[in-house]
Amino acid sequence: MKQAQRQERSRREILQAAMEEFGTYNYSDVTIDNICSRHGISKGMMYHYYSGKDDLFLLCAREIFQALKEHMDALPFPAPGQTGPEAIRELFRAREAYFETRPLEKHIFENVLFNTPRHLSDQLNDLRLPLRELNRQRFRQAVSRMELRAPLDGEAVSRYLECIESLFWPLVNQYQGGEAIGDLPSLEAISTQVLDMVLFGIVRQER
């Protein structure tokens, strides 16, 4: 094996170890000592390739953002004949489906969103920007298929949906009382009901 190949393999092994640690524990609970001791990595090799914990966390976040963006970008959107609300639900569902078989990545992604290390917030926002731009574009496309009430406009509603996106599936889970949803039709029905309330409210408007 050539030296460049060995170096790349070592980098990937360290990064995978970091992914497992950050995907299992919160950022504040992860240490370089634990990454090394639990995964059989020498500190010498660790610091030869990476500067420390922050470097590894940022690399993990970058890989997740890039992979999720590629996944979302490859999906046809919106589907022919879809209404705006249907397109929005499918967009929310696509991200959740991506993480269903990637629990480590989901834990890191949620840590970035909800427990952002303050000193890394600017760098994490920069890494997330391409994914956010794609989401904004998709939301605008979905909103263009909806009749908005005055005085709302498409840009304001797209920003609102961007805020809701990260909270939607935890909201569905809490709405269900934390109980597991047993099958896909039930999941579709519940998520549609929650999205209906998110989009259209709960109070009847006088006309």
Side-chain angles (χ1 to χ4, degrees):
M1 183 183 295
K2 295 181 179 179
Q3 183 179 3
Q5 292 174 316
R6 289 197 299 271
Q7 290 176 336
E8 179 59 23
R9 187 178 69 175
S10 296
R11 284 181 177 274
R12 297 303 305 178
E13 287 176 355
I14 296 170
L15 188 56
Q16 182 56 40
M19 192 77 75
E20 291 181 21
E21 290 296 309
F22 288 120
T24 304
Y25 307 99
N26 291 336
Y27 169 87
S28 59
D29 297 322
V30 175
T31 66
I32 291 295
D33 285 345
N34 286 344
I35 294 175
C36 290
S37 63
R38 289 173 178 160
H39 300 273
I41 298 169
S42 72
K43 283 191 177 180
M45 186 171 78
M46 167 70 74
Y47 287 112
H48 178 72
Y49 293 109
Y50 299 104
S51 62
K53 172 180 169 177
D54 288 350
D55 188 18
L56 286 169
F57 188 71
L58 290 170
L59 285 169
C60 289
R62 184 180 68 183
E63 293 230 337
I64 292 167
F65 288 144
Q66 287 179 343
L68 180 57
K69 181 182 180 299
E70 290 173 4
H71 170 78
M72 300 294 285
D73 211 10
L75 299 175
F77 184 88
Q82 268 188 337
T83 65
E86 288 171 343
I88 291 167
R89 181 168 59 82
E90 286 305 309
L91 189 59
F92 288 173
R93 174 65 185 153
R95 195 186 79 176
E96 189 67 10
Y98 176 81
F99 283 125
E100 279 177 351
T101 57
R102 298 172 175 86
L104 297 179
E105 288 89 339
K106 182 177 183 180
H107 185 85
I108 296 171
F109 186 83
E110 291 178 345
N111 257 258
V112 171
L113 264 57
F114 303 122
N115 297 300
T116 308
R118 185 172 299 178
H119 65 292
L120 298 179
S121 60
D122 289 343
Q123 291 161 282
L124 290 168
N125 283 335
D126 288 344
L127 292 174
R128 190 184 170 201
L129 186 59
L131 177 62
R132 294 185 69 178
E133 289 295 341
L134 175 63
N135 283 341
R136 287 168 182 165
Q137 177 187 342
R138 295 286 174 87
F139 285 136
R140 292 188 191 105
Q141 289 175 292
V143 169
S144 70
R145 299 188 172 201
M146 300 168 64
E147 183 178 350
L148 305 179
R149 66 176 177 83
L152 297 177
D153 59 31
E155 192 61 32
V157 173
S158 296
R159 289 200 306 271
Y160 168 71
L161 292 172
E162 184 181 356
C163 297
I164 291 295
E165 181 197 19
S166 300
L167 304 172
F168 182 71
W169 290 104
L171 180 62
V172 170
N173 183 62
Q174 188 170 0
Y175 178 76
Q176 187 64 9
E179 298 179 6
I181 302 174
D183 53 67
L184 185 58
S186 297
L187 177 64
E188 295 290 333
I190 293 168
S191 62
T192 298
Q193 187 176 39
V194 173
L195 184 61
D196 182 77
M197 288 187 282
V198 166
L199 292 179
F200 304 113
I202 58 174
V203 178
R204 181 176 180 179
Q205 300 293 316
E206 296 294 335
R207 295 181 179 239

